Amino acid sequence: MGTMLHRTIASLSLGALMAGGAVALVATPASAAWNSCTANYACMWKNQDYPNGPNALFASALPGLSTSDNLIKSVVNRGYTSSVRFYDGSDYTGDSFLMNHEGNTSGVQWRDPFLANGTDTTSVNWSNKISSGRFW
């Protein structure tokens, strides 16, 4: 009977360990997916925290967003030497904010997973406002 009890406890312990391990293996949100943006591009997502791949991107300029116009919630500037300016109007018009480049080591922001709380350069909510962008 003692052996049966030990096997039952061992089985329960193993089950608990496996369940605990399964919890530890649960994937975290794709907040690190900013790196799905190709080097030397500026990328934009319709959702916060860079889920999946970008919804729009450009290597030089983008005078207007078609299906993503005024729907952008997160941005990344992977342009290694150039800053990028995002505008609330098409053809680089209206209010704008500047996003530094990934190669800058001064600590100035080059990506923002949540535009609703502003950026390093402005406290304005930029979620769902971007209509165009270009490198400087």
Side-chain angles (χ1 to χ4, degrees):
M1 174 121 178
T3 304
M4 181 75 114
L5 180 61
H6 288 292
R7 284 187 195 157
T8 303
I9 292 172
S11 294
L12 290 173
S13 297
L14 181 58
L17 180 62
M18 289 175 68
V23 171
L25 296 176
V26 171
T28 58
S31 61
W34 62 265
N35 59 9
S36 65
C37 180
T38 305
N40 298 313
Y41 279 78
C43 298
M44 297 163 275
W45 284 260
K46 290 181 182 180
N47 295 298
Q48 66 187 38
D49 296 323
Y50 325 110
N52 307 312
N55 297 103
L57 64 144
F58 59 92
S60 175
L62 186 64
L65 295 169
S66 55
T67 60
S68 300
D69 189 34
N70 292 321
L71 297 175
I72 300 303
K73 291 181 175 64
S74 53
V75 295
V76 171
N77 179 7
R78 299 277 322 264
Y80 200 73
T81 58
S82 299
S83 296
V84 67
R85 187 168 290 278
F86 293 100
Y87 299 85
D88 68 356
S90 61
D91 295 316
Y92 326 113
T93 61
D95 291 333
S96 66
F97 72 92
L98 192 65
M99 181 74 55
N100 216 330
H101 55 84
E102 183 179 11
N104 185 297
T105 58
S106 68
V108 177
Q109 184 175 16
W110 56 274
R111 64 183 189 210
D112 195 316
F114 187 61
L115 289 172
N117 66 356
T119 69
D120 280 357
T121 58
T122 179
S123 61
V124 173
N125 173 353
W126 272 91
S127 185
N128 298 326
K129 291 185 179 180
I130 295 174
S131 293
S132 60
R134 64 179 165 185
F135 281 101
W136 281 100

